[in-house]
């Protein structure tokens, strides 16, 4: 690479090491000088020789450093270096005192003895025969690790991924990668088909390899799941694979057959069309349908005085239920499974609170959950009872720290202990999470599913809420009446108009819904900067850091979130010599920046401190959608500190910054389940497949106090008129219908 250098020297001191990801800071002695090296260096130790490729970088706090891109390390040769290596703790069980005795006994021959004649180590005081064997095993593993990482780097695999691969396969790494590098795409998070394909090409594997074709077919199905599909029409699957792989059609057909025989995929005829699933998604739909059937078979009697109890709730809360709400309350008590759906202002929260109260009056235990942390927090505030994320409800645990491999501790053999479970914001629940949830619910537990079916569907695969409703097999109550207080809000009334396809009034006659006409991207951008910096903070008494949120339809383009965040960062939190910065994968993070956690991390520790900086509360878990401010960037510890809206302080290692995004602007999809006092929506132009009615509906319903749309009225009206939803291939609706009909026929026999 351009400007890259090669250095060779002795590792004198390990200054910092992260055992989880291999990041290391060390002092290396060259012939003429000592330099500080930084980078991913797994398992290196003091006393080793290192040959590294990289470049010098200037750190504004720590000065000149050598950033390592790739390296090789070599075992020490002279007695002095051998002693340093063994004294460093590189080999478990050998400390400084024992290292001195080994080197005194064997001198420069110490490593050969450990590797070839480990039993001879027992001649050294303090080493038994068992300990000698243990030392030899550790030494062998370290040698194999070095050899494997060098092997992987020769085929263009970065050091970071080489370490991940070795940790996954250990001593089998070279055999597995040599025989079928496409296995990496299945087993290693972050390595997809395209990366595995590049590695395979570097290894000389032919493009017609059956391993390549089968991996390509799996990749096409997996890519489809990322777009929300649980299957693909078989012709579409084969055509997509043919286009991507550039191999004959017949070869792909044969690979499909082989994958079916080995039960990796399955093809079915549905409504006169052959469709193909990954085996996992096929069984997920079957399992969800069966569990919903099992739960729905339980009927419960209403308390004899149910009507009087409902009247008591009305009187004590000074409310009057409409017929739909009264029906929802009774059906929620009677049914094993029920869906309660409706738009904003139709009384979903009031209805749910009443169901909870009636169930608790019967002495029943009720649990509450939602898909995201922010949605769970809203549910807690609305009900006055503790709600949690579905992941936390199911007690997610990780195989090891800083690993994405997780499992739920709640399942069929360790189910949830409650009489009723209420799930809010159910439109966000995908087929994978719904399956895990239902596995943890035993028949006899009421399941109450609450959501707005007209919101955007889940980010993950499936169309769960809509499919359940459209199956016509599960009890559904739709709340339709908009209550008087809600009718006074232009936000709510316009949301319902948008949802029903009616054009909204953009004359700014209402005090909570505003439209600012701008006809170019640059003028929209300028207006948003002005709104967030001066006008809205004065008008709404809040700031872009707390209260005002930009919601954009897209990530890319001048008005996409990537550019909006860059521009708003420069406007609202400009460079300052007093503010430290960190660049990570092309994104600049600065002290004072508004950021968002973009995935649930149940292992991340947090603290809450008082004004004297004493910790008054602590725990673990930061959730997708949590918003905070960067308060400190520490280049010595390689950590960024973020203070979230609920005063939780969290430290992120630089290597984990992929979990954070700048959050002056977020996508409408990312805002699901959240509410903000003020939202600003740039709407100028965009693809018709994205600029659709329910995208606008979802955005508007995120606001509690004010909505401001900046752009063109023609675009707004085109979105309202565009009721085409992005098609999702999902057969859960059919699976639910099938299981109900099959079981009904069986009972009739």
């Amino acid at each position: 690479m351009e400007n890259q250098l090669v250095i060779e020297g002795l590792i004198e001191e390990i200054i910092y090491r992260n055992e989880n990801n291999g990041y290391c800071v060390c002092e290396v002695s060259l012939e003429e000088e000592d330099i500080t090296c930084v980078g991913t260096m797994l398992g290196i130790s003091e006393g080793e020789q290192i040959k590294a490729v990289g470049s010098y970088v200037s750190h504004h706090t720590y000065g000149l450093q050598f950033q390592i891109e790739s390296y090789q390390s070599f075992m020490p040769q002279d007695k002095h270096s051998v002693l340093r290596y063994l004294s460093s703790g590189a080999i478990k069980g050998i400390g400084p005192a024992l290292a001195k005795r080994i080197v005194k006994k064997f001198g420069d021959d110490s490593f050969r003895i450990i590797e070839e004649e480990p039993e001879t180590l027992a001649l050294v005081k303090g080493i038994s025969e068992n300990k000698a064997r243990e030392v030899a095993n550790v030494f062998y593993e370290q040698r194999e690790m070095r050899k494997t990482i060098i092997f992987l780097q020769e085929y263009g695999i970065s050091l970071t991924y080489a370490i991940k691969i070795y940790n996954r396969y250990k001593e089998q790494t070279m055999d597995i990668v040599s025989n079928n590098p496409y296995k990496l795409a299945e087993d290693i998070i972050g390595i997809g088909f395209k990366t595995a394909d590049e590695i395979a090409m570097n290894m000389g594997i032919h493009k017609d390899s059956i391993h390549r074709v089968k991996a390509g077919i799996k990749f096409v199905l997996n890519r489809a799941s990322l777009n929300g599909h649980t299957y693909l029409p078989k012709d579409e699957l084969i055509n997509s694979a043919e286009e991507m792989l550039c191999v004959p059609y017949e070869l792909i057909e044969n690979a499909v057959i082989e994958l079916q025989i080995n039960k990796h995929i399955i093809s079915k005829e549905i409504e006169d069309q052959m469709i193909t699933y990954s085996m996992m998604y096929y069984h997920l739909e079957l399992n969800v349908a069966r569990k919903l059937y099992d739960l729905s078979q339980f009927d419960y009697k209403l308390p004899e005085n149910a009507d009087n109890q409902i009247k008591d709730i009305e009187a004590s809360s000074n409310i009057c239920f409409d017929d739909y709400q009264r029906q929802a309350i009774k059906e929620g008590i009677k049914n094993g499974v029920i869906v309660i759906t409706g738009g904003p202002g139709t009384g979903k929260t009031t209805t749910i609170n009443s169901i909870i109260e009636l169930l608790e009056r019967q002495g029943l235990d009720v649990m509450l959950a939602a898909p995201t942390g922010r949605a769970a927090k809203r549910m807690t505030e609305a009900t006055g009872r503790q709600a949690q994320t579905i992941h936390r409800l199911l007690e997610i645990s990780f195989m090891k720290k800083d690993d994405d491999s997780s499992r739920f501790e709640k399942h069929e053999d360790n189910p949830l202990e409650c009489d009723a479970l209420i799930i809010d914001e159910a439109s966000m629940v995908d087929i994978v999470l719904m399956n895990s949830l239902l596995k943890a619910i035993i028949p006899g537990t009421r399941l109450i599913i609450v959501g707005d079916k007209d919101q955007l569907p889940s980010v993950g695969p499936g169309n769960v809420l809509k499919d359940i409703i459209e199956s016509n097999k599960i009890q559904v109550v739709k709340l339709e009446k908009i209550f008087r207080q809600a009718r006074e809000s232009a936000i709510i009334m316009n949301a319902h108009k948008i949802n029903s396809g009616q054009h909204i009034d953009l004359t700014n006659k209402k005090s909570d819904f505003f439209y600012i006409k701008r006809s170019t991207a640059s003028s929209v951008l300028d207006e948003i900067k002005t709104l967030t910096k001066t006008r809205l903070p004065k008008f709404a008494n809040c700031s872009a850091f707390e209260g005002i949120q930009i919601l954009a339809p897209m990530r890319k383009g001048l008005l996409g979130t990537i550019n909006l965040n860059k521009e708003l960062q420069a406007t609202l939190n400009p460079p300052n010599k007093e503010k430290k910065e960190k660049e990570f994968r092309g994104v600049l993070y600065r002290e004072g920046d508004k950021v968002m956690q973009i995935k649930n991390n149940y292992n991340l520790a947090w603290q809450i401190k008082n004004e004297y900086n004493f910790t008054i509360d602590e725990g673990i878990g930061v959730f997708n959608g949590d918003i905070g401010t960067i308060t400190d960037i520490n280049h010595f510890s390689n950590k960024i500190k973020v203070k979230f809206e609920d005063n939780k302080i969290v430290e992120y290692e630089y290597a984990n910054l992929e979990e954070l995004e700048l959050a002056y602007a977020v996508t409408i999809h990312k805002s699901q389940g959240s509410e903000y006092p003020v939202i600003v929506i740039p709407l100028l132009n965009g693809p018709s497949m994205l600029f659709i009615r329910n995208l606008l509906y979802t955005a508007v319903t995120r606001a509690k106090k004010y909505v401001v749309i900046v752009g063109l009225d023609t675009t707004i009206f085109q979105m309202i008129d565009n009721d085409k939803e992005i098609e999702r291939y999902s057969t859960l609706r059919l699976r639910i219908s099938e299981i109900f009909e099959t079981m009904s026929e069986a009972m009739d026999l």
Side-chain angles (χ1 to χ4, degrees):
M1 285 188 173
E2 196 175 328
N3 298 325
Q4 287 204 321
L5 303 170
V6 178
I7 63 163
E8 294 186 55
L10 176 73
I11 300 173
E12 292 282 0
E13 181 184 3
I14 303 296
I15 299 170
Y16 171 81
R17 188 201 307 272
N18 185 317
E19 298 291 352
N20 296 307
N21 58 31
Y23 182 82
C24 187
V25 180
C26 62
E27 198 73 18
V28 175
S29 177
L30 307 182
E31 286 186 4
E32 298 179 352
E33 61 176 337
D34 290 350
I35 63 169
T36 301
C37 293
V38 298
T40 303
M41 294 171 272
L42 183 68
I44 64 164
S45 298
E46 295 169 4
E48 290 186 43
Q49 291 286 329
I50 187 170
K51 181 178 181 180
V53 178
S55 56
Y56 282 100
V57 294
S58 180
H59 193 290
H60 69 272
T61 302
Y62 303 112
L64 199 64
Q65 297 178 333
F66 190 80
Q67 178 74 51
I68 291 179
E69 298 297 331
S70 63
Y71 77 96
Q72 295 181 42
S73 62
F74 308 93
M75 300 306 293
Q77 301 300 317
D78 63 276
K79 188 162 62 173
H80 169 72
S81 297
V82 170
L83 178 59
R84 291 206 57 166
Y85 179 87
L86 293 176
S87 299
S88 70
I91 299 179
K92 187 178 180 181
I94 298 180
L98 201 52
K100 285 181 182 179
R101 292 200 291 272
I102 292 173
V103 174
K104 184 177 180 180
K105 179 76 175 174
F106 302 112
D108 293 348
D109 208 27
S110 297
F111 283 156
R112 189 193 67 77
I113 293 293
I114 293 173
E115 186 175 0
E116 298 177 9
E117 304 174 27
E119 67 279 358
T120 310
L121 288 173
L123 298 174
V124 177
K125 182 182 178 182
I127 299 182
S128 65
E129 290 185 4
N130 284 337
K131 188 164 188 175
R133 283 192 292 269
E134 289 174 5
V135 168
N137 287 336
V138 171
F139 192 82
Y140 171 78
E141 288 173 6
Q142 290 180 342
R143 188 189 67 182
E144 289 301 300
M145 178 186 69
R146 286 182 175 82
K147 187 168 69 174
T148 301
I149 288 176
I150 291 170
F151 163 79
L152 294 172
Q153 288 184 289
E154 287 175 353
Y155 292 106
I157 299 173
S158 73
L159 191 55
T160 300
Y161 281 117
I163 291 169
K164 283 188 176 183
I165 294 166
Y166 179 79
N167 287 337
R168 176 69 170 80
Y169 301 132
K170 297 297 183 184
E171 67 275 3
Q172 296 180 311
T173 300
M174 293 170 69
D175 286 340
I176 289 172
V177 175
S178 298
N179 293 329
N180 181 13
Y182 294 99
K183 190 166 173 53
L184 298 175
E186 297 180 25
D187 296 340
I188 308 298
I189 294 171
I191 295 185
F193 171 79
K194 292 181 179 178
T195 303
D197 205 28
E198 288 179 12
I199 296 168
M201 295 300 107
N202 289 337
M203 297 180 74
I205 293 177
H206 197 271
K207 71 174 185 177
D208 287 351
S209 161
I210 190 64
H211 289 311
R212 178 175 186 263
V213 179
K214 289 195 293 186
I217 291 167
K218 290 179 181 179
F219 171 75
V220 172
L221 283 173
N222 183 60
R223 183 175 61 188
S225 73
L226 297 177
N227 291 323
H229 306 303
T230 59
Y231 72 87
L232 281 178
K234 191 173 181 181
D235 288 343
E236 186 176 328
L237 168 64
I238 293 177
N239 290 335
S240 295
E242 183 183 22
E243 181 180 346
M244 183 185 75
L245 297 170
C246 299
V247 298
Y249 187 92
E250 296 76 16
L251 191 59
I252 297 172
E253 279 193 313
N254 292 337
V256 167
I257 292 170
E258 189 170 327
L259 286 168
Q260 289 176 179
I261 292 171
N262 294 326
K263 299 189 184 304
H264 291 292
I265 65 175
I266 185 169
S267 293
K268 291 283 183 180
E269 185 172 352
I270 301 290
E271 297 174 345
D272 299 324
Q273 181 186 43
M274 288 301 295
I275 66 175
T276 303
Y277 308 78
S278 290
M279 191 63 77
M280 179 182 77
Y281 289 113
Y282 175 71
H283 284 293
L284 284 173
E285 289 194 345
L286 286 178
N287 293 344
V288 168
R290 179 59 196 240
K291 288 294 293 185
L292 287 171
Y293 173 82
D294 291 344
L295 291 170
S296 70
Q297 296 311 293
F298 284 77
D299 294 320
Y300 307 92
K301 290 184 178 180
L302 278 173
E304 293 182 2
N305 61 344
D307 287 323
N308 289 333
Q309 290 192 47
I310 292 173
K311 288 178 181 178
D312 287 345
I313 294 172
E314 288 179 309
S316 61
S317 304
N318 194 27
I319 55 177
C320 182
F321 296 124
D322 71 355
D323 291 341
Y324 296 110
Q325 287 179 298
R326 195 168 281 105
Q327 180 193 1
I329 294 168
K330 290 182 177 180
E331 296 296 340
I333 303 298
K334 288 165 48 181
N335 284 273
V337 182
I338 181 175
V339 174
I340 300 173
T341 185
T346 56
K348 292 195 297 292
T349 299
T350 305
T351 303
I352 294 307
N353 284 339
S354 302
I355 292 174
I356 295 170
E357 185 166 341
L358 284 177
L359 290 171
E360 289 179 342
R361 286 186 181 188
Q362 296 179 52
L364 301 179
D365 184 24
V366 183
M367 284 185 171
L368 312 178
T372 68
R374 290 180 73 89
K377 184 178 179 182
R378 284 179 56 201
M379 196 179 189
T380 297
E381 293 167 351
T383 62
R385 294 165 176 84
Q386 184 61 45
Q388 54 193 320
T389 65
I390 296 174
H391 288 79
R392 176 146 286 177
L393 175 81
L394 298 179
E395 297 180 10
I396 191 170
S397 65
F398 292 83
M399 306 309 179
K400 57 184 178 180
K401 191 176 180 182
D402 295 331
D403 191 353
D404 287 325
S405 301
S406 62
R407 66 184 179 194
F408 292 118
E409 299 298 332
K410 291 294 183 182
H411 42 68
E412 301 98 322
D413 299 325
N414 182 29
L416 295 168
E417 297 178 5
C418 63
D419 300 301
L421 174 62
I422 301 176
I423 301 297
D424 198 11
E425 295 286 358
S427 63
M428 300 174 66
V429 179
D430 63 30
I431 191 70
V432 179
L433 186 57
M434 179 57 80
N435 178 66
S436 297
L437 177 67
L438 293 177
K439 283 166 63 177
I441 304 174
I442 58 173
T445 303
R446 293 174 176 84
L447 176 61
I448 300 166
I449 302 170
V450 185
D452 184 348
K453 69 179 182 62
D454 297 314
Q455 297 280 346
L456 291 170
S458 59
V459 174
N463 216 355
V464 174
L465 179 63
K466 191 171 184 180
D467 277 356
I468 292 174
I469 292 171
E470 292 184 355
S471 72
N472 294 318
K473 299 297 182 182
I474 301 295
Q475 178 69 51
V476 177
V477 179
K478 183 177 181 182
L479 304 180
E480 296 183 345
K481 180 181 176 181
I482 305 173
F483 287 88
R484 180 182 59 79
Q485 187 176 358
R487 288 199 301 269
E488 295 173 359
S489 165
I491 295 174
I492 290 176
M493 295 309 295
N494 281 341
H496 282 277
K497 284 183 177 181
I498 291 167
N499 198 34
S500 62
Q502 300 177 54
H503 286 196
I504 57 178
D505 182 4
L506 297 175
T507 59
N508 295 336
K509 292 179 180 179
K510 295 287 185 178
S511 60
D512 63 350
F513 198 104
F514 302 98
Y515 163 64
I516 300 173
K517 185 171 184 176
R518 294 290 182 270
S519 56
T520 65
S522 59
S523 63
V524 171
L525 185 57
D526 289 342
E527 185 64 35
I528 288 175
K529 290 179 184 178
T530 303
L531 284 167
T532 52
K533 187 173 183 179
T534 57
R535 293 174 62 188
L536 282 173
K538 291 178 182 178
F539 176 78
N541 194 30
C542 56
S543 74
F545 297 93
E546 292 186 20
I548 301 170
Q549 186 61 57
I550 314 299
L551 300 184
M554 303 174 292
R555 285 181 58 82
K556 297 181 180 179
L558 199 63
L559 298 178
T561 57
I562 295 173
N563 188 62
L564 282 169
N565 276 316
K566 185 178 178 181
E567 294 284 345
L568 289 167
Q569 180 189 52
T571 301
L572 301 169
N573 187 34
N576 185 314
K577 64 180 181 179
E578 301 298 324
K579 293 183 177 181
K580 295 190 288 292
E581 299 176 349
K582 167 64 182 175
E583 186 175 352
F584 181 80
R585 296 183 180 176
V587 178
L588 184 68
Y589 297 90
R590 180 178 297 133
E591 289 177 345
D593 273 337
K594 180 180 180 180
V595 291
M596 173 186 280
Q597 173 79 14
I598 60 170
K599 62 178 285 189
N600 289 334
N601 187 330
Y602 294 87
N603 278 342
L604 204 52
W606 54 262
Q607 293 180 323
I608 296 177
K609 298 193 174 186
N610 62 15
E611 58 185 312
Y612 304 107
N613 205 35
F614 290 116
T615 300
I616 58 174
D617 195 9
E618 58 186 357
I620 57 172
V622 184
F623 305 116
N624 182 13
D626 286 353
I627 289 178
T629 304
I630 295 175
T631 59
D632 182 60
I633 296 177
N634 189 321
H635 291 305
F636 181 76
S637 64
N638 290 317
K639 291 181 180 180
I640 284 182
K641 190 178 292 184
V642 177
K643 186 175 184 179
F644 286 96
E645 291 172 332
D646 48 10
N647 293 319
K648 292 177 180 176
I649 299 170
V650 177
E651 286 189 338
Y652 292 82
E653 294 182 358
Y654 285 172
N656 294 332
L657 288 181
E658 60 192 15
E659 295 188 13
L660 285 179
E661 284 186 355
L662 293 177
Y664 301 102
V666 301
T667 63
I668 296 169
H669 282 84
K670 182 60 72 175
S671 73
Q672 283 181 271
S674 301
E675 273 190 347
Y676 311 95
V678 183
I679 66 163
V680 181
I681 315 170
L683 291 178
L684 188 63
N685 51 53
S688 59
M689 63 178 295
L690 178 61
F691 276 51
I692 55 179
R693 181 186 298 171
N694 70 340
L695 187 82
L696 179 58
Y697 173 71
T698 299
V700 169
T701 54
R702 299 306 93 205
K704 290 193 285 188
K705 292 183 177 180
Y706 302 105
V707 169
V708 182
I709 300 178
V710 184
L712 288 173
D713 52 0
T714 51
T715 300
I716 298 169
F717 297 145
Q718 286 168 3
M719 289 183 74
I720 293 171
D721 294 338
N722 185 3
D723 64 347
K724 293 181 181 178
E725 296 183 27
I726 300 172
E727 183 179 10
R728 284 201 166 198
Y729 295 132
S730 167
T731 52
L732 178 61
R733 171 179 57 85
L734 297 175
R735 299 292 168 219
I736 294 171
S737 297
E738 283 174 2
I739 189 69
F740 272 78
E741 290 163 7
T742 300
M743 297 305 293
S744 177
E745 290 172 3
M747 292 174 68
D748 289 340
L749 293 177

